[in-house]
PDB file of all heavy atoms in Angstrom:
ATOM      1  N   THR A 260       7.184  -2.293  -6.377  1.00 43.00           N
ATOM      2  CA  THR A 260       8.567  -2.457  -5.934  1.00 43.00           C
ATOM      3  C   THR A 260       9.515  -2.688  -7.107  1.00 43.00           C
ATOM      4  O   THR A 260      10.645  -3.088  -6.926  1.00 43.00           O
ATOM      5  CB  THR A 260       8.665  -3.654  -4.979  1.00 43.00           C
ATOM      6  OG1 THR A 260       8.193  -4.823  -5.660  1.00 43.00           O
ATOM      7  CG2 THR A 260       7.855  -3.417  -3.727  1.00 43.00           C
ATOM      8  N   GLN A 261       9.031  -2.471  -8.378  1.00 44.00           N
ATOM      9  CA  GLN A 261       9.862  -2.754  -9.537  1.00 44.00           C
ATOM     10  C   GLN A 261      10.218  -1.470 -10.284  1.00 44.00           C
ATOM     11  O   GLN A 261       9.382  -0.595 -10.485  1.00 44.00           O
ATOM     12  CB  GLN A 261       9.132  -3.709 -10.487  1.00 44.00           C
ATOM     13  CG  GLN A 261       8.916  -5.096  -9.863  1.00 44.00           C
ATOM     14  CD  GLN A 261       8.240  -6.035 -10.830  1.00 44.00           C
ATOM     15  OE1 GLN A 261       7.524  -5.604 -11.715  1.00 44.00           O
ATOM     16  NE2 GLN A 261       8.478  -7.317 -10.653  1.00 44.00           N
ATOM     17  N   LEU A 480      11.994 -21.716   9.577  1.00 97.00           N
ATOM     18  CA  LEU A 480      11.003 -21.024   8.756  1.00 97.00           C
ATOM     19  C   LEU A 480       9.648 -21.695   8.951  1.00 97.00           C
ATOM     20  O   LEU A 480       9.502 -22.902   8.732  1.00 97.00           O
ATOM     21  CB  LEU A 480      11.416 -21.066   7.280  1.00 97.00           C
ATOM     22  CG  LEU A 480      10.790 -20.028   6.356  1.00 97.00           C
ATOM     23  CD1 LEU A 480      11.180 -18.617   6.767  1.00 97.00           C
ATOM     24  CD2 LEU A 480      11.205 -20.287   4.915  1.00 97.00           C
ATOM     25  N   GLU A 481       8.656 -20.914   9.357  1.00 95.00           N
ATOM     26  CA  GLU A 481       7.336 -21.463   9.663  1.00 95.00           C
ATOM     27  C   GLU A 481       6.245 -20.745   8.876  1.00 95.00           C
ATOM     28  O   GLU A 481       6.459 -19.670   8.319  1.00 95.00           O
ATOM     29  CB  GLU A 481       7.027 -21.339  11.167  1.00 95.00           C
ATOM     30  CG  GLU A 481       7.244 -22.614  11.953  1.00 95.00           C
ATOM     31  CD  GLU A 481       6.321 -23.754  11.550  1.00 95.00           C
ATOM     32  OE1 GLU A 481       5.516 -23.593  10.602  1.00 95.00           O
ATOM     33  OE2 GLU A 481       6.408 -24.823  12.172  1.00 95.00           O
ATOM     34  N   ASN A 500       8.531 -11.644   9.276  1.00 94.00           N
ATOM     35  CA  ASN A 500       7.673 -12.341   8.317  1.00 94.00           C
ATOM     36  C   ASN A 500       7.773 -11.719   6.932  1.00 94.00           C
ATOM     37  O   ASN A 500       8.066 -10.530   6.784  1.00 94.00           O
ATOM     38  CB  ASN A 500       6.224 -12.350   8.804  1.00 94.00           C
ATOM     39  CG  ASN A 500       5.708 -10.958   9.125  1.00 94.00           C
ATOM     40  OD1 ASN A 500       6.472 -10.072   9.491  1.00 94.00           O
ATOM     41  ND2 ASN A 500       4.415 -10.754   8.973  1.00 94.00           N
ATOM     42  N   PHE A 501       7.511 -12.525   5.907  1.00 94.00           N
ATOM     43  CA  PHE A 501       7.606 -12.065   4.529  1.00 94.00           C
ATOM     44  C   PHE A 501       6.916 -13.074   3.633  1.00 94.00           C
ATOM     45  O   PHE A 501       6.558 -14.184   4.073  1.00 94.00           O
ATOM     46  CB  PHE A 501       9.073 -11.899   4.102  1.00 94.00           C
ATOM     47  CG  PHE A 501       9.916 -13.134   4.263  1.00 94.00           C
ATOM     48  CD1 PHE A 501      10.114 -14.020   3.209  1.00 94.00           C
ATOM     49  CD2 PHE A 501      10.515 -13.429   5.483  1.00 94.00           C
ATOM     50  CE1 PHE A 501      10.888 -15.156   3.351  1.00 94.00           C
ATOM     51  CE2 PHE A 501      11.296 -14.566   5.644  1.00 94.00           C
ATOM     52  CZ  PHE A 501      11.473 -15.432   4.580  1.00 94.00           C
ATOM     53  N   VAL A 502       6.700 -12.687   2.376  1.00 94.00           N
ATOM     54  CA  VAL A 502       6.143 -13.592   1.365  1.00 94.00           C
ATOM     55  C   VAL A 502       7.303 -14.130   0.548  1.00 94.00           C
ATOM     56  O   VAL A 502       8.084 -13.351  -0.021  1.00 94.00           O
ATOM     57  CB  VAL A 502       5.129 -12.866   0.466  1.00 94.00           C
ATOM     58  CG1 VAL A 502       4.636 -13.799  -0.637  1.00 94.00           C
ATOM     59  CG2 VAL A 502       3.954 -12.350   1.292  1.00 94.00           C
ATOM     60  N   ASP A 503       7.454 -15.459   0.501  1.00 94.00           N
ATOM     61  CA  ASP A 503       8.601 -16.025  -0.209  1.00 94.00           C
ATOM     62  C   ASP A 503       8.369 -16.003  -1.718  1.00 94.00           C
ATOM     63  O   ASP A 503       7.327 -15.547  -2.200  1.00 94.00           O
ATOM     64  CB  ASP A 503       8.925 -17.426   0.307  1.00 94.00           C
ATOM     65  CG  ASP A 503       7.866 -18.464  -0.060  1.00 94.00           C
ATOM     66  OD1 ASP A 503       6.978 -18.175  -0.898  1.00 94.00           O
ATOM     67  OD2 ASP A 503       7.915 -19.579   0.494  1.00 94.00           O
ATOM     68  N   LYS A 504       9.346 -16.492  -2.475  1.00 93.00           N
ATOM     69  CA  LYS A 504       9.288 -16.401  -3.928  1.00 93.00           C
ATOM     70  C   LYS A 504       8.213 -17.291  -4.545  1.00 93.00           C
ATOM     71  O   LYS A 504       7.890 -17.146  -5.712  1.00 93.00           O
ATOM     72  CB  LYS A 504      10.658 -16.736  -4.519  1.00 93.00           C
ATOM     73  CG  LYS A 504      11.720 -15.693  -4.174  1.00 93.00           C
ATOM     74  CD  LYS A 504      13.068 -16.023  -4.771  1.00 93.00           C
ATOM     75  CE  LYS A 504      14.103 -14.957  -4.413  1.00 93.00           C
ATOM     76  NZ  LYS A 504      15.445 -15.252  -4.962  1.00 93.00           N
ATOM     77  N   SER A 505       7.665 -18.203  -3.744  1.00 93.00           N
ATOM     78  CA  SER A 505       6.556 -19.029  -4.217  1.00 93.00           C
ATOM     79  C   SER A 505       5.209 -18.431  -3.834  1.00 93.00           C
ATOM     80  O   SER A 505       4.168 -19.009  -4.127  1.00 93.00           O
ATOM     81  CB  SER A 505       6.664 -20.443  -3.633  1.00 93.00           C
ATOM     82  OG  SER A 505       7.848 -21.079  -4.062  1.00 93.00           O
ATOM     83  N   GLY A 506       5.239 -17.292  -3.151  1.00 94.00           N
ATOM     84  CA  GLY A 506       3.997 -16.626  -2.774  1.00 94.00           C
ATOM     85  C   GLY A 506       3.429 -17.044  -1.432  1.00 94.00           C
ATOM     86  O   GLY A 506       2.302 -16.668  -1.097  1.00 94.00           O
ATOM     87  N   TYR A 507       4.200 -17.805  -0.627  1.00 94.00           N
ATOM     88  CA  TYR A 507       3.724 -18.244   0.680  1.00 94.00           C
ATOM     89  C   TYR A 507       4.103 -17.231   1.762  1.00 94.00           C
ATOM     90  O   TYR A 507       5.222 -16.714   1.771  1.00 94.00           O
ATOM     91  CB  TYR A 507       4.313 -19.609   1.038  1.00 94.00           C
ATOM     92  CG  TYR A 507       3.837 -20.738   0.155  1.00 94.00           C
ATOM     93  CD1 TYR A 507       4.669 -21.257  -0.843  1.00 94.00           C
ATOM     94  CD2 TYR A 507       2.565 -21.282   0.295  1.00 94.00           C
ATOM     95  CE1 TYR A 507       4.246 -22.279  -1.675  1.00 94.00           C
ATOM     96  CE2 TYR A 507       2.128 -22.309  -0.529  1.00 94.00           C
ATOM     97  CZ  TYR A 507       2.965 -22.804  -1.510  1.00 94.00           C
ATOM     98  OH  TYR A 507       2.544 -23.816  -2.317  1.00 94.00           O
ATOM     99  N   ALA A 508       3.149 -16.978   2.660  1.00 94.00           N
ATOM    100  CA  ALA A 508       3.419 -16.090   3.799  1.00 94.00           C
ATOM    101  C   ALA A 508       4.124 -16.902   4.879  1.00 94.00           C
ATOM    102  O   ALA A 508       3.551 -17.824   5.460  1.00 94.00           O
ATOM    103  CB  ALA A 508       2.115 -15.507   4.336  1.00 94.00           C
ATOM    104  N   VAL A 509       5.389 -16.571   5.134  1.00 96.00           N
ATOM    105  CA  VAL A 509       6.202 -17.334   6.081  1.00 96.00           C
ATOM    106  C   VAL A 509       6.836 -16.380   7.094  1.00 96.00           C
ATOM    107  O   VAL A 509       6.796 -15.163   6.934  1.00 96.00           O
ATOM    108  CB  VAL A 509       7.304 -18.139   5.356  1.00 96.00           C
ATOM    109  CG1 VAL A 509       6.696 -19.202   4.457  1.00 96.00           C
ATOM    110  CG2 VAL A 509       8.201 -17.208   4.541  1.00 96.00           C
ATOM    111  N   THR A 510       7.419 -16.954   8.126  1.00 95.00           N
ATOM    112  CA  THR A 510       8.088 -16.152   9.149  1.00 95.00           C
ATOM    113  C   THR A 510       9.196 -16.969   9.790  1.00 95.00           C
ATOM    114  O   THR A 510       9.122 -18.202   9.842  1.00 95.00           O
ATOM    115  CB  THR A 510       7.088 -15.703  10.239  1.00 95.00           C
ATOM    116  OG1 THR A 510       7.770 -14.910  11.211  1.00 95.00           O
ATOM    117  CG2 THR A 510       6.455 -16.894  10.947  1.00 95.00           C
TER     118      THR A 510
END
Side-chain angles (χ1 to χ4, degrees):
T260 58
Q261 294 182 334
L480 200 63
E481 260 296 3
N500 54 332
F501 56 94
V502 176
D503 69 12
K504 293 181 180 179
S505 298
Y507 294 104
V509 295
T510 181

